[in-house]
Amino acid sequence: MSLPHAILTALLEKPSSGLELTRRFDKSIGYFWSATHQQIYRELGRLESEGYIRALPSEQPARGQKKSYEVLPAGRDELARWTSASQDPKPMRDTMLLRLRASAVVGTAGIETDLRRHLDLHQRQLAEYEQIQKRDFPPGKDAPQDRLRHLVLRAGIDLETFWTQWLTHALDEFEHLDEQSPAPEALLETAPEAVPDAVPDAVPEDVRE
């Protein structure tokens, strides 16, 4: 249900057409809730049919003209209800962490290169967030609405800071891995020889069956 509420939020901030919403998702809302233009247009139809939004009357009706939408009172009430409702945090699910765990048993080939690629991507995203912060939230811009929007941006900055620091630490760990350690496959192959089989003759006579 989060995408409809993201759309309601965007339309309350500024009545928009589907195309304008898509652009806003690409530039701002999409940083924390992404959606394709097909998903946005589909949800606009649903919200309109449910009486949450309406298409604004066009001053100059024309074939193919893009409709702009505004939120109706029922839509504002629904967004307020959703905002105030209690929700549990989502459990963390990250493919890179799972891949790193798997590399402990199948080997680390290729993953260090991808860690470096991820680090570069997160560093770029962090730089972009910091540029937005400098541009949109200069000192003194502290109206309640601005402070809340800045808080959302700070979440992105803090998250990207975490990932850049963690990835840097992970790559440092890779530099200290013992390159001479046998691969997991080698350990499996040598395991039977490393652990001697139980020899019946080694069992004391008084406990033999």
Side-chain angles (χ1 to χ4, degrees):
M1 284 294 290
S2 295
L3 178 56
H5 296 99
I7 292 174
L8 288 172
T9 300
L11 291 178
L12 279 171
E13 291 175 344
K14 180 184 179 182
S16 306
S17 67
L19 179 59
E20 290 168 337
L21 279 174
T22 299
R23 291 171 177 167
R24 291 172 66 190
F25 267 77
D26 288 342
K27 294 180 179 179
S28 58
I29 297 174
Y31 285 132
F32 56 88
W33 197 269
S34 60
T36 65
H37 69 277
Q38 293 95 337
Q39 291 172 322
I40 290 172
Y41 277 97
R42 184 167 57 247
E43 290 300 337
L44 283 172
R46 291 177 181 174
L47 289 169
E48 187 175 22
S49 65
E50 291 172 359
Y52 290 153
I53 65 174
R54 71 168 181 175
L56 292 171
S58 175
E59 296 180 358
Q60 296 179 345
R63 184 178 180 181
Q65 186 176 15
K66 297 177 177 63
K67 296 189 295 185
S68 290
Y69 297 89
E70 68 175 358
V71 178
L72 294 171
R76 178 183 285 272
D77 291 343
E78 167 57 22
L79 186 60
R81 181 206 62 78
W82 179 77
T83 302
S84 62
S86 175
Q87 296 185 15
D88 293 333
K90 297 294 184 182
M92 184 176 183
R93 296 178 63 183
D94 188 274
T95 306
M96 176 55 78
L97 298 180
L98 181 57
R99 290 171 59 205
L100 196 60
R101 178 68 177 258
S103 72
V105 292
V106 299
T108 59
I111 197 167
E112 183 176 359
T113 299
D114 212 31
L115 283 169
R116 295 187 185 281
R117 185 177 68 87
H118 278 232
L119 176 59
D120 180 65
L121 291 172
H122 284 290
Q123 287 174 332
R124 293 184 185 185
Q125 189 65 78
L126 176 59
E128 185 173 350
Y129 284 159
E130 289 175 338
Q131 184 178 6
I132 293 172
Q133 178 176 243
K134 183 178 180 180
R135 181 193 68 203
D136 294 347
F137 299 100
K141 191 174 183 180
D142 56 359
Q145 298 90 337
D146 294 323
R147 293 172 70 92
L148 290 174
R149 290 168 185 152
H150 192 188
L151 190 62
V152 175
L153 179 61
R154 282 296 321 176
I157 291 174
D158 291 346
L159 183 60
E160 294 302 327
T161 299
F162 160 77
W163 280 117
T164 55
Q165 292 176 346
W166 180 85
L167 286 161
T168 300
H169 175 72
L171 288 167
D172 183 64
E173 286 294 317
F174 267 73
E175 291 182 2
H176 293 85
L177 291 178
D178 185 3
E179 298 293 341
Q180 304 302 317
S181 296
E185 294 85 350
L187 291 175
L188 291 175
E189 292 175 359
T190 59
E193 297 179 3
V195 182
D197 295 332
V199 181
D201 289 342
V203 181
E205 294 184 0
D206 58 346
V207 296
R208 291 181 188 175
E209 292 293 325

